[in-house]
Amino acid sequence: MKKIRQPIIAVLGHVDHGKTTMLDRIRNTRVAEKEAGGITQHIGATEVPIEVIKKLAGPLLSLWKGEIKLPGLLFIDTPGHEAFTSLRARGGSLADLAILVVDINEGFQPQTIESIEILRKYRTPFVVAANKIDRIKGWKVVENEPFLVNIKRQDQRAVQELETKLWELIGKFYEFGFQANRFDRVQDFRRELAIVPISAKYGIGLPELLVLIAGLAQKYLEEKLKIEVEGPARGTILEVREEVGFGTTIDVIIYDGTLRKDDIIVVGGRDKAIVTKIRALLKPKPLDEIRDPRYRFDQVDEVSAAAGIKIAAPNLEEALAGSPVIAVRSEEEIEKAKKEILEQIKSVIISTDKVGVIVKADTIGSLEALSKELQEKNIPIRKADVGNISKTDVMEALSVKEEEPLYGVVIGFNVKVNEDAEEIAKAKNIPIFVGNVIYKIIEDYEAWVKAEKE
Ligand code: GDP
Ligand code: MG
């Protein structure tokens, strides 16, 4: 049986521009009428059912002609471009859509630019939330109002200032090759980027933001979102973690099919595919039902896409964040899944004795993103792996340095440098470039190369 699943939505943007505040506000959305149903907490994600959006939106729904048949929206709880690069699936992004949050008073910042580059690379459609409009001088705040209602309360000056700031933003997007416009002035959503002015803090404009996303998904992604719901599940690992009473578990976003408690799953490990049998499928308990923090989960028998779920199973210690999870129901499928997963891992985790840089990242997805950038700049890679920067990495760079000093470096994205690695790097003069903005890390490395050559 085919059904349309919830689109998976990711939130990106510069630090402090309001990503977390916006997600919190969406999570806390309450709709007065009981029958509208509530927001459901998943593992690593939050689901907003379509009834809630319809109730919030009221007449705004007329933005979209035609009915919205989606069951709702699934927001990934971890915002930021680092998280986004980890969310890889089917060679692209796990996220079907994204919200780029930009502080309207600050405009483009380094992580805004990084987010745009990443969204472009993954071809992920997105909308822009121009946040913190309440900070505009003289702005009159009414909590939770749609933007189009709230704007009517503002005096001429505040409206003018908003327009000026929007124009600046639109100009910036133009520089980056996007035609953008305020959402209610967009003629063609396929060609123009929609900007919704919001205040995450006060909930202004969030109704429009939600309606817009739902409408875009319905109109342009319906085919992609149609899944064979009874089929075996596919997902991506968000996180690998210890859980009291369950051992090592994986938090997974399921984007296809149904995962059943008695399924076998195949997941990616560092140098192998792990085949294991599910012990338990865990969902977070509603907050008000948690009496003992040790029992934070409810066990379920099955879960259908799209959903976030915690899987407890043996042998997950070496599972890799960002790698695929494939459920299988026959021997033959096991072999196929193993092959597919191994191919994916081998395309990302590199281990050669070439003269080249050492690359580390926090997940297989972010490692792939960083390696691709380096390759595009013709910077050779000797080793690319998931994990913090270790002494071994520095030693490896040291051996490269003997052959080609400019490649004797370690480059890391969203990882820590172990203490002993730091010490030996200092002693042996091996530069380490780390950070959480890919293009900045590469710029730093290139600046260093330039300085060394002079
Ligand atoms: P993140 O780093 O993008 O997740 O940003 P946060 O959500 O943590 O927000 C950073 C700061 O901006 C916090 O102090 C928030 O309270 C504040 N903030 C976020 N949204 C708004 C808004 O709409 N209006 C105002 N005035 N402040 C906001
Ligand atoms: Mg945050």
Side-chain angles (χ1 to χ4, degrees):
M1 195 186 69
K2 289 239 177 192
K3 77 156 190 182
I4 303 177
R5 67 161 169 82
Q6 307 89 322
I8 298 166
I9 322 282
V11 176
L12 293 81
H14 193 71
V15 62
D16 284 347
H17 281 197
K19 301 178 297 294
T20 303
T21 308
M22 189 187 77
L23 277 166
D24 284 348
R25 193 82 197 194
I26 290 172
R27 264 196 290 264
N28 293 328
T29 305
R30 290 231 163 70
V31 178
E33 285 84 339
K34 254 237 164 81
E35 71 269 23
I39 306 251
T40 344
Q41 199 53 50
H42 289 231
I43 295 283
T46 302
E47 182 178 353
V48 185
I50 201 67
E51 294 76 39
V52 170
I53 295 169
K54 284 182 174 164
K55 276 265 151 53
L56 282 176
L60 292 171
L61 271 180
S62 64
L63 272 173
W64 299 102
K65 295 161 199 82
E67 207 199 336
I68 296 193
K69 291 173 275 176
L70 302 171
L73 306 174
L74 190 75
F75 286 89
I76 303 281
D77 284 340
T78 330
H81 69 276
E82 310 94 317
F84 185 87
T85 53
S86 306
L87 302 172
R88 130 187 222 295
R90 304 154 288 197
S93 171
L94 174 67
D96 302 297
L97 276 168
I99 301 175
L100 176 66
V101 179
V102 187
D103 181 335
I104 195 165
N105 306 291
E106 289 210 340
F108 276 38
Q109 297 296 323
Q111 289 160 53
T112 317
I113 298 169
E114 176 101 326
S115 300
I116 292 172
E117 299 295 357
I118 287 169
L119 290 169
R120 195 200 320 261
K121 215 150 246 179
Y122 287 83
R123 297 173 184 277
T124 307
F126 64 103
V127 295
V128 180
N131 191 27
K132 307 198 189 183
I133 57 167
D134 60 279
R135 287 244 178 106
I136 288 172
K137 212 167 154 229
W139 197 268
K140 297 187 190 72
V141 166
V142 177
E143 287 203 37
N144 299 326
E145 262 187 351
F147 168 76
L148 292 175
V149 176
N150 189 245
I151 186 89
K152 294 218 175 83
R153 294 179 194 283
Q154 312 303 328
D155 58 34
Q156 196 51 39
R157 245 197 216 169
V159 172
Q160 201 45 54
E161 192 166 339
L162 174 75
E163 293 294 349
T164 308
K165 287 173 191 278
L166 276 174
W167 269 113
E168 281 168 19
L169 214 53
I170 289 169
K172 274 286 170 198
F173 276 111
Y174 189 77
E175 279 176 36
F176 282 80
F178 289 95
Q179 199 168 324
N181 218 335
R182 205 171 92 178
F183 70 98
D184 53 322
R185 298 168 182 157
V186 169
Q187 307 277 342
D188 178 354
F189 284 98
R190 267 184 196 274
R191 294 182 47 240
E192 285 168 276
L193 193 54
I195 304 178
V196 188
I198 69 160
S199 164
K201 188 167 176 178
Y202 298 107
I204 299 166
L206 291 186
E208 281 104 329
L209 190 63
L210 293 171
V211 171
L212 197 68
I213 294 168
L216 281 172
Q218 179 69 57
K219 196 156 178 187
Y220 301 117
L221 300 177
E222 187 176 338
E223 279 314 303
K224 181 183 178 197
L225 298 176
K226 244 181 217 159
I227 58 166
E228 198 60 62
V229 62
E230 301 293 335
R234 277 180 174 253
T236 300
I237 303 181
L238 289 183
E239 224 175 314
V240 182
R241 64 164 124 203
E242 289 291 314
E243 216 60 77
V244 177
F246 294 103
T248 306
T249 65
I250 49 176
D251 293 354
V252 175
I253 299 289
I254 304 290
Y255 61 80
D256 197 7
T258 294
L259 187 63
R260 299 190 192 133
K261 204 186 145 208
D262 47 14
D263 280 341
I264 304 267
I265 51 167
V266 185
V267 307
R270 173 158 285 106
D271 46 17
K272 58 173 186 277
I274 301 163
V275 182
T276 184
K277 190 150 180 6
I278 297 172
R279 197 184 281 148
L281 295 177
L282 304 166
K283 249 177 38 175
K285 263 199 174 107
L287 273 181
D288 50 357
E289 286 175 23
I290 298 179
R291 285 181 197 93
D292 182 335
R294 280 175 303 170
Y295 306 102
R296 290 184 292 134
F297 306 109
D298 278 328
Q299 298 206 19
V300 293
D301 289 333
E302 62 171 50
V303 59
S304 297
I309 193 87
K310 184 184 280 296
I311 303 176
N315 304 321
L316 291 175
E317 291 75 18
E318 286 184 56
L320 277 185
S323 81
V325 176
I326 304 177
V328 289
R329 291 170 187 165
S330 73
E331 278 301 320
E332 199 182 53
E333 285 176 45
I334 293 182
E335 288 315 309
K336 248 176 73 187
K338 274 169 78 174
K339 197 164 159 253
E340 182 182 332
I341 286 177
L342 271 177
E343 266 168 24
Q344 288 202 37
I345 293 169
K346 284 204 178 116
S347 72
V348 183
I349 294 187
I350 303 170
S351 176
T352 68
D353 42 24
K354 280 204 303 211
V355 174
V357 300
I358 310 298
V359 187
K360 299 296 287 272
D362 59 335
T363 70
I364 190 142
S366 57
L367 184 65
E368 182 179 40
L370 175 57
S371 299
K372 269 196 182 145
E373 285 305 311
L374 290 165
Q375 280 154 353
E376 273 170 31
K377 301 232 166 211
N378 291 319
I379 300 167
I381 297 170
R382 178 187 184 88
K383 210 179 101 181
D385 204 350
V386 174
N388 287 335
I389 294 173
S390 67
K391 194 174 153 187
T392 322
D393 298 325
V394 177
M395 295 307 292
E396 191 106 20
L398 185 61
S399 75
V400 173
K401 187 182 171 185
E402 281 156 17
E403 288 191 61
E404 172 50 87
L406 296 179
Y407 294 143
V409 303
V410 185
I411 295 177
F413 178 71
N414 226 19
V415 291
K416 294 200 185 80
V417 185
N418 294 344
E419 220 167 278
D420 53 351
E422 185 113 49
E423 272 168 32
I424 187 147
K426 272 215 184 91
K428 303 284 184 192
N429 219 351
I430 297 292
I432 297 179
F433 301 92
V434 283
N436 63 359
V437 177
I438 294 176
Y439 83 84
K440 279 282 293 164
I441 305 171
I442 298 180
E443 261 178 30
D444 288 350
Y445 166 67
E446 286 176 329
W448 174 82
V449 168
K450 194 159 169 264
E452 287 294 299
K453 279 184 177 163
E454 278 162 9

